[in-house]
Amino acid sequence: QTDCKPLLKKKDNLLRVVFQSAVKIGMQDSSKSKYILPGGIRVYTRKAQYQYGWDWSPRYVTCGIWKPVYLEAWNDIKIQNVTYYTDTVTSTKANLHLVAFATSDKYQECKIVLKDQYNGKILQEETIALAKGLNSIPLKFIINDPQLWWTNGIGNPNLYHFEFDINKGGKKICSDSCKVGIRTIELVQRPDSVGKSFYFKLNGVPVFMKGANYIPADNFIPRVSKNDYEKLINTAVDCNMNMLRVWGGGIYEDDNFYDLCDEKGILVWQDFMFACGMYPADTAFLNNVKNEATYQVNRLTNHPCIALWCGNNEISEGWYNWDWQKQYGYSANDSAKIWNNYTLLFDTLIKNVVNTFDAKTPYWPSSPKYGWGRKESLLEGDSHYWGVWWGMEPFSMYENKIGRFMSEYGFQAYPADETMKTYLDFKTSSAGDNMNPFWHNKHPQGFQTIDNYLLRDYYNATDHKNAVKHYTYLSQLLQANGITTAIEAHRRARPYCMGTLYWQFNDCWPGVSWSGMDYYGRWKALQYFVKKAYSDILVTVTEKNKTLETFVVSDVQKTTKAKLCIFLSDFNGKKIWQKDTLITIQPLSSSCCFTIPVASIIKDTSANNKLFFAARLYIADSLASQAVHYFVPYKLLKLPKANIKRSLKISDNKIELSLSSKTLAKNVYVSLDDKYLKLSDNYFDILPGDEVKIHSEEPISSKIKVRKIKLETFNSK
Ligand code: BMA
């Protein structure tokens, strides 16, 4: 934002560089205008918009420039950037080309050389002449038997390491090295009988996207270390995700973030950093955005993880659905001007930058295409469905409101008690106390909304003897069940729906929010549930018109043989009905394998609250996925008192815990001495007669005793 003029000063034998800055903020132009723009002052400053406060982040407007400032000197030739393109790919050959931009301080002849850094082999070399000034240098090359880049779950994220050199007289003058993935990506939007498809093809394969919306990992961005990024991306991988959306009110992420996504096969839906507001479009602002977009597109274009450039978050939705025109009292002229500014920014300027510098990656002007109240939002484009939470609709609506690509939907939950204890005194606070600012919930109706939904499926735990802890546990179950209802419905709807990204993956501070994983990386129940709901092959059960439908969904490319065991049981393990069948699961598919009317297996409906229906899918004799369906809201279940047997083994500072129960034990939460413990699974049901084996994923002290392991189970009131 500033116009920096370096001044060199010599003092104490040190050369000091002083940046004199004439502060120019975009405000200058708009101060002449009569209207206020939605978003207020923040839309004039090109810095992280969430720093002005969001419904999950505090307001830290004074956060400033956080990246290093440096001067770069060069002479002779400087490579500005090198962009790699995958042109065509077959299993035996990939045709690629690169375009290098290099500045030369004179006319001169030189040799360009492209090497494979892994084996040192020269892939291509040419003698060329550079003109004085900026030169564009194209170079074609071939990779035989290419190892393609694939996403997590589909294949290996293979990377090549290329080095592009400019040599003179046999000497290297300058060089640029880059890790590149050989892959093609397409966004397919084909008109069909309902609307238009919206899905990604990776190397020609339609891939169902499973992931979440990513926000900055801290209020104070320099605090995020490489290790933190690793923890975050490892969680995405661990939870069987293949896409993260870098949301437009945050930051263009650190190089480490994209490097890790490249290495681990996570595609990135990359928003430009504009969100929920209308932006000015005076010449200074446009020039500034042009520089910003050009810089970011050039910085990120070679990352195979970049699947999509998206102009903004919820601006077109805001303009058409949030009544801004009335709220801000715009005249017809004001409205025309403001919308014209929008189109200049997102339909012209940014789109042109992407087409110029990264034409191989699709561009999408705004997420979502239509607001969630409009029927078109379910027929084409991507969709943010907020009828649940903002619209107070029941979780079951997730099964009906399914668009072509669900890029946002979400529900809040409390973080782990240990996280809350870092900012809250449990003794003086009571659960659900939304007047207490120390609860760290930035959503104005956050607590009331959680409470409201809690009463539908569970009960309000504020009078529980251990209220905060119990409320936390229940709110996490509520969120986990709600969001997985959505995920499973989206996956069943494949290929109509081809992606699901819940809101939100992570947090920027410890607090109550929509995240599945809190600020300290502690998993809420949702994260454990997501890991299962995103598994490559999933069995899922839904009840529609009093009929139970068992679906099997596959995201793998090969045909799979499996055994499906379906049964109805009471909570003491008495099987009332069962059926085993052998099935063949088609690649990249979702199909309903079995339906049965509820009435044909449950004669006495008053016993519904003591029964569950389960589907278990075995692949090569091991349990690949399991679905459990209950017939009444959880609060109405007549659960027996669980008597869980445990056996504990500790080796190499790792816990191996085996839990079994003769009766149903619902949502078993395992903690260690009341401390949060990252486990291979948690909050799970132990079906009657089952043994569940879990292990710790973080080192623990070898002094742990069985009685230190605490178990909490859900018990209807
Ligand atoms: C979405 C996002 C954010 C917001 C979240 C929760 O629509 O785009 O703006 O934080 O909802 O309300």
Side-chain angles (χ1 to χ4, degrees):
Q1 294 303 315
T2 56
D3 192 7
C4 294
K5 298 204 180 86
L7 291 177
L8 301 183
K9 281 191 178 176
K10 216 177 157 202
K11 199 181 162 199
D12 312 330
N13 285 333
L14 285 172
L15 189 66
R16 288 164 192 265
V17 183
V18 177
F19 287 93
Q20 220 182 30
S21 149
V23 180
K24 279 203 227 156
I25 309 178
M27 277 299 277
Q28 57 191 13
D29 253 52
S30 68
S31 57
K32 286 184 218 143
S33 67
K34 290 185 205 78
Y35 51 73
I36 292 173
L37 290 173
I41 188 171
R42 73 172 163 82
V43 299
Y44 296 99
T45 40
R46 293 308 299 143
K47 65 182 223 118
Q49 303 283 280
Y50 81 109
Q51 288 168 346
Y52 289 83
W54 218 264
D55 57 4
W56 37 263
S57 95
R59 187 174 160 91
Y60 286 116
V61 178
T62 51
C63 284
I65 294 167
W66 77 89
K67 291 203 171 167
V69 174
Y70 55 90
L71 288 178
E72 211 177 289
W74 63 275
N75 58 18
D76 209 359
I77 305 169
K78 173 170 165 49
I79 299 171
Q80 308 290 357
N81 61 45
V82 184
T83 306
Y84 292 86
Y85 298 84
T86 302
D87 299 324
T88 54
V89 190
T90 64
S91 57
T92 52
K93 193 168 133 185
N95 287 302
L96 293 99
H97 80 275
L98 65 83
V99 179
F101 283 93
T103 309
S104 170
D105 58 13
K106 55 183 170 297
Y107 171 88
Q108 54 187 323
E109 284 204 345
C110 57
K111 195 175 195 183
I112 51 170
V113 182
L114 180 71
K115 277 191 218 151
D116 182 334
Q117 273 209 340
Y118 286 137
N119 57 22
K121 273 195 192 144
I122 292 180
L123 296 166
Q124 192 65 288
E125 51 188 345
E126 262 175 35
T127 302
I128 59 159
L130 290 179
K132 185 177 176 187
L134 187 64
N135 294 261
S136 145
I137 311 160
L139 186 68
K140 286 189 175 173
F141 61 103
I142 288 170
I143 299 284
N144 290 318
D145 303 320
Q147 299 293 305
L148 301 188
W149 186 90
W150 291 100
T151 49
N152 181 35
I154 291 226
N156 289 332
N158 296 303
L159 291 172
Y160 286 80
H161 198 168
F162 295 138
E163 180 183 313
F164 175 82
D165 300 334
I166 301 186
N167 296 351
K168 258 187 358 187
K171 221 176 107 201
K172 196 193 290 183
I173 303 295
C174 51
S175 165
D176 178 274
S177 79
C178 183
K179 287 196 180 150
V180 173
I182 300 181
R183 61 110 178 97
T184 56
I185 190 97
E186 286 163 77
L187 173 64
V188 184
Q189 292 189 77
R190 203 169 293 131
D192 53 27
S193 59
V194 218
K196 241 190 222 173
S197 68
F198 189 102
Y199 67 92
F200 291 90
K201 262 191 180 177
L202 176 68
N203 301 319
V205 176
V207 179
F208 188 101
M209 295 303 166
K210 297 175 288 192
N213 284 271
Y214 184 94
I215 60 160
D218 207 302
N219 290 318
F220 307 110
I221 303 160
R223 281 207 300 221
V224 188
S225 64
K226 181 157 189 218
N227 196 23
D228 295 326
Y229 280 115
E230 262 174 4
K231 253 187 163 174
L232 287 157
I233 305 301
N234 284 344
T235 293
V237 174
D238 201 12
C239 291
N240 300 308
M241 295 185 180
N242 55 15
M243 180 177 263
L244 288 172
R245 169 172 175 238
V246 176
W247 168 80
I251 56 164
Y252 301 97
E253 270 302 334
D254 190 89
D255 289 343
N256 280 317
F257 175 91
Y258 302 101
D259 287 346
L260 285 160
C261 288
D262 288 348
E263 284 162 25
K264 294 172 189 270
I266 301 292
L267 282 168
V268 174
W269 169 310
Q270 179 67 49
D271 282 3
F272 284 90
M273 293 301 130
F274 300 87
C276 308
M278 297 308 290
Y279 287 79
D282 53 80
T283 316
F285 192 84
L286 288 180
N287 284 339
N288 195 8
V289 170
K290 189 173 177 188
N291 287 337
E292 169 187 323
T294 306
Y295 170 76
Q296 295 298 348
V297 172
N298 278 317
R299 176 172 77 99
L300 300 178
T301 175
N302 286 331
H303 286 277
C305 67
I306 300 288
L308 181 82
W309 290 103
C310 171
N312 66 69
N313 173 72
E314 293 185 348
I315 298 188
S316 147
E317 150 145 26
W319 184 252
Y320 286 110
N321 301 300
W322 297 352
D323 233 6
W324 280 338
Q325 295 78 353
K326 225 191 195 165
Q327 212 179 312
Y328 291 88
Y330 297 143
S331 67
N333 267 352
D334 291 342
S335 284
K337 179 155 193 274
I338 294 168
W339 185 248
N340 187 46
N341 287 349
Y342 174 94
T343 57
L344 274 177
L345 266 172
F346 302 109
D347 295 337
T348 310
L349 189 144
I350 295 181
K351 185 178 179 188
N352 287 346
V353 169
V354 173
N355 287 344
T356 310
F357 300 104
D358 192 11
K360 61 191 187 305
T361 306
Y363 175 73
W364 183 243
S366 185
S367 178
K369 175 149 184 166
Y370 297 106
W372 57 264
R374 297 170 56 150
K375 71 170 188 323
E376 300 92 325
S377 71
L378 304 179
L379 309 179
E380 60 176 285
D382 68 322
S383 177
H384 293 188
Y385 172 63
W386 283 100
V388 171
W389 182 266
W390 284 96
M392 304 300 288
E393 291 174 357
F395 286 133
S396 57
M397 281 303 252
Y398 280 138
E399 306 212 0
N400 305 333
K401 302 284 183 175
I402 304 174
R404 315 308 296 255
F405 192 104
M406 302 303 289
S407 45
E408 271 190 30
Y409 56 93
F411 198 89
Q412 285 196 345
Y414 285 40
D417 333 335
E418 273 211 289
T419 296
M420 280 197 287
K421 278 181 188 151
T422 63
Y423 62 84
L424 191 74
D425 181 355
F426 277 26
K427 286 193 200 91
T428 58
S429 313
S430 62
D433 176 6
N434 62 309
M435 298 314 286
N436 185 342
F438 301 110
W439 275 102
H440 287 198
N441 190 338
K442 302 302 289 183
H443 185 276
Q445 267 90 46
F447 292 114
Q448 286 96 327
T449 309
I450 299 175
D451 261 0
N452 185 306
Y453 279 82
L454 209 55
L455 290 176
R456 302 181 197 181
D457 281 346
Y458 295 93
Y459 47 84
N460 190 321
T462 41
D463 58 350
H464 192 274
K465 66 176 185 323
N466 206 343
V468 179
K469 228 168 131 5
H470 197 63
Y471 201 99
T472 301
Y473 166 78
L474 287 184
S475 81
Q476 291 197 13
L477 291 182
L478 181 72
Q479 178 198 39
N481 284 313
I483 298 308
T484 45
T485 300
I487 291 175
E488 292 184 14
H490 301 158
R491 292 193 66 186
R492 282 196 297 270
R494 175 187 183 130
Y496 182 83
C497 173
M498 282 298 283
T500 180
L501 311 174
Y502 65 86
W503 182 272
Q504 67 196 60
F505 184 60
N506 56 326
D507 273 331
C508 64
W509 75 332
V512 182
S513 83
W514 295 262
S515 73
M517 176 179 35
D518 74 26
Y519 174 72
Y520 296 108
R522 295 185 179 119
W523 285 23
K524 296 180 187 171
L526 173 61
Q527 210 60 56
Y528 290 100
F529 277 42
V530 161
K531 182 175 172 173
K532 292 178 199 162
Y534 278 167
S535 65
D536 293 345
I537 295 187
L538 174 81
V539 64
T540 143
V541 172
T542 177
E543 188 180 327
K544 274 215 177 102
N545 306 323
K546 302 211 178 335
T547 297
L548 292 161
E549 300 180 348
T550 303
F551 276 74
V552 174
V553 184
S554 166
D555 289 339
V556 302
Q557 289 194 74
K558 59 176 197 321
T559 307
T560 316
K561 298 252 181 244
K563 187 169 140 194
L564 184 61
C565 303
I566 316 173
F567 59 92
L568 178 75
S569 166
D570 71 12
F571 297 158
N572 294 316
K574 190 172 147 219
K575 288 218 170 104
I576 293 157
W577 173 92
Q578 64 182 328
K579 185 174 173 64
D580 294 355
T581 61
L582 292 177
I583 56 167
T584 303
I585 308 166
Q586 296 306 322
L588 310 172
S589 71
S590 160
S591 60
C592 181
C593 298
F594 190 77
T595 59
I596 188 156
V598 178
S600 73
I601 49 171
I602 303 181
K603 306 289 176 217
D604 172 13
T605 46
S606 68
N608 271 3
N609 53 2
K610 293 187 196 113
L611 300 174
F612 69 90
F613 180 84
R616 287 179 152 162
L617 189 76
Y618 294 89
I619 298 174
D621 288 333
S622 72
L623 185 64
S625 179
Q626 164 174 293
V628 184
H629 177 81
Y630 297 93
F631 299 92
V632 294
Y634 303 115
K635 63 180 175 187
L636 299 180
L637 294 174
K638 283 270 163 280
L639 294 164
K641 194 168 167 21
N643 180 10
I644 303 169
K645 291 231 159 62
R646 42 178 113 175
S647 95
L648 175 79
K649 231 171 66 196
I650 300 177
S651 53
D652 300 332
N653 291 350
K654 252 190 159 191
I655 288 181
E656 280 176 42
L657 188 62
S658 146
L659 302 170
S660 62
S661 174
K662 284 196 177 135
T663 57
L664 173 74
K666 184 130 189 51
N667 298 120
V668 181
Y669 173 60
V670 185
S671 62
L672 177 63
D673 231 2
D674 268 354
K675 289 203 171 56
Y676 171 87
L677 185 62
K678 172 76 198 303
L679 294 161
S680 53
D681 197 4
N682 217 338
Y683 303 90
F684 45 82
D685 291 353
I686 307 177
L687 299 191
D690 267 13
E691 184 184 26
V692 175
K693 289 187 175 160
I694 54 171
H695 58 264
S696 59
E697 296 197 332
E698 284 160 3
I700 46 102
S701 139
S702 51
K703 288 187 201 111
I704 298 306
K705 303 225 167 52
V706 185
R707 64 187 153 73
K708 283 196 170 178
I709 302 279
K710 278 193 85 173
L711 303 179
E712 176 162 5
T713 46
F714 172 67
N715 221 321
S716 43
K717 261 194 156 181

